Amino acid sequence: MTYCVGMVLDEGLIFASDSRTNAGVDHVATFRKMNVIALPGERQIVLLNAGNLATTQSVVSLLKSRLSHDAANLHTVSSLYQAAELVGHTVREVIARDGDGQTQSQGVDYGCSFLVGGQIRGEPPRLFQVYPQGNFIEATPDTPYLQIGEAKYGKPIIDRVIRHDTPLAQAIKCTLISFDSTIRSNLSVGLPIDLLWQQRDDFDFAPRHRVTEDDPYFLALRQGWGEGLRSVFGQLPDALWFKHGDSE
Amino acid sequence: MTYCVGMVLDEGLIFASDSRTNAGVDHVATFRKMNVIALPGERQIVLLNAGNLATTQSVVSLLKSRLSHDAANLHTVSSLYQAAELVGHTVREVIARDGDGQTQSQGVDYGCSFLVGGQIRGEPPRLFQVYPQGNFIEATPDTPYLQIGEAKYGKPIIDRVIRHDTPLAQAIKCTLISFDSTIRSNLSVGLPIDLLWQQRDDFDFAPRHRVTEDDPYFLALRQGWGEGLRSVFGQLPDALWFKHGDSE
């Protein structure tokens, strides 16, 4: 399994991915699920992937190996929309080759999902989710985040906190809490977490941070959040109708 | 969809179920998913159900109509284990009749899940989860709660708060917060929530409460929890490495 989140906010973009892959609980490995394709001063495109590792690795390898080709590639597309289209096209190509065009074939799930986001000079920051079928949706100010993989455990805190005008620093904090909830509940999502953030209109600098098991900030956040939740819970009153119930 | 939770704690048992059913988003209805079969002074058995409504209604109808039969029924079984076995047997019977023994048939999912819990005099309180295949598991002091239906959104708060020695009043508070998180994230889980709690060794009195949209306690809990979460979030520090990132 996998958990990846992307956010497109007024201040810029955030990307985060876990790094655990598994084919059965006795076949676990660490793979980076974040890839960056950049032209300094001009564009920065981030890919996060979930799903079949053979498919996602092939898609990324093909996209990278074609950067020097004449045909449209991630260095030449003129919009993030075209970047998402190209990723979707490559997903279809790999699934056609490996799964005879079926995402489910011979008992194997060849499917995968991608988050494709970033900024190309001349456009605002944009964020897309590409489905296993190769089609895609775009995040908007109403719904400024997208998730792939094991999305449910970490969704409530994002829904409560994230608006398009949330500052990047707060959104990073929220993202890490969302990962903590997911990692606690699903063994197949694991540290380290790869984080990347990108200020709007800054085409030269996209800081990254790899959150490992002994990351002091993540440990403090995890502890502070857990204690804070239990404290809020403890302060809320018990039900008045406890002990007697209704008259049904 | 559905969300149901059962807990077996030192003080007794808690059961909670939402009441929304849907066959497509344009075919939504309210059905109670909680059924109680009791013999005052002797036994109290609670059934919560998720999954195909035709299957679950038939299972409950058959179990109730057979209470006066000579064969083993929920008034005569001598343990909760046998009650779970009987529910599982009846699930298999209905799926054999309606789905030719297949939980998935002709594009329809005939499957369902049940939580079966309560207390029969001579035993401690017990809680079981019956799968669509009719087999079942039992909750233990290590894992004192079971969920069926849309379980993921509401699981993190239960994992953080509930131990076998959590008092009933606190467990009810936690259950309602778990429902609030689920209802916020999944439209197909909806109010009212049916709640029932049962003190250990009290065979005569199992208070119930139906939480409706204007329930003052639920509204206060929902507001207090949301504000509390945002306050804890606001107090946690931003990452020290924000602005510069790592040196990768």
Side-chain angles (χ1 to χ4, degrees), chain B residues 33 48 59 96 120 122 128 134 148 156 170 180 185 235:
Chain B
K33 300 168 191 175
L48 303 182
V59 169
I120 294 178
F128 293 84
I148 54 176
Q170 278 190 35
D180 179 40
S185 293
Q235 284 161 29

Side-chain angles (χ1 to χ4, degrees), chain A residues 173 208-209 233 236 246, chain B residues 173 208-209 233 236-237 246:
Chain A
K173 185 165 69 169
R208 298 192 204 183
H209 183 72
F233 181 82
L236 290 170
D246 294 341
Chain B
K173 184 166 69 169
R208 298 192 204 182
H209 183 72
F233 181 82
L236 290 170
D246 295 341

Side-chain angles (χ1 to χ4, degrees), chain A residues 77-209:
Chain A
V77 291
S78 60
S79 68
L80 248 300
Y81 181 93
Q82 289 176 6
E85 203 179 357
L86 191 59
V87 173
H89 183 79
T90 313
V91 167
R92 275 194 288 260
E93 176 187 343
V94 172
I95 290 177
R97 183 192 73 186
D98 292 351
D100 291 326
Q102 302 295 315
T103 56
Q104 306 273 347
S105 172
Q106 299 180 49
V108 174
D109 187 349
Y110 292 93
C112 68
S113 298
F114 275 87
L115 295 183
V116 182
Q119 190 173 7
I120 293 177
R121 194 173 281 282
E123 283 199 319
R126 299 175 77 177
L127 173 67
F128 293 84
Q129 175 176 349
V130 180
Y131 294 107
Q133 290 73 27
N135 56 347
F136 48 89
I137 59 170
E138 182 173 9
T140 66
D142 284 333
T143 303
Y145 74 92
L146 296 169
Q147 303 168 292
I148 54 176
E150 177 58 279
K152 292 189 178 183
Y153 297 116
K155 188 168 182 289
I157 181 63
I158 298 180
D159 281 336
R160 285 185 196 271
V161 168
I162 297 297
R163 308 276 173 273
H164 63 87
D165 57 356
T166 305
L168 279 186
Q170 276 188 39
I172 287 175
K173 185 165 69 169
C174 176
T175 299
L176 290 182
I177 292 171
S178 174
F179 269 83
D180 179 40
S181 296
T182 308
I183 288 170
R184 277 176 187 280
S185 293
N186 188 327
L187 275 184
S188 71
V189 176
L191 295 166
I193 302 163
D194 289 304
L195 250 176
L196 182 151
W197 56 103
Q198 203 173 323
Q199 302 271 353
R200 171 184 287 260
D201 298 333
D202 185 341
F203 294 96
D204 296 307
F205 186 57
R208 298 192 204 183
H209 183 72

Side-chain angles (χ1 to χ4, degrees), chain B residues 93-112:
Chain B
E93 175 187 344
V94 172
I95 290 178
R97 183 192 72 186
D98 292 352
D100 290 327
Q102 302 295 316
T103 56
Q104 306 273 347
S105 172
Q106 300 181 50
V108 175
D109 186 348
Y110 292 93
C112 68

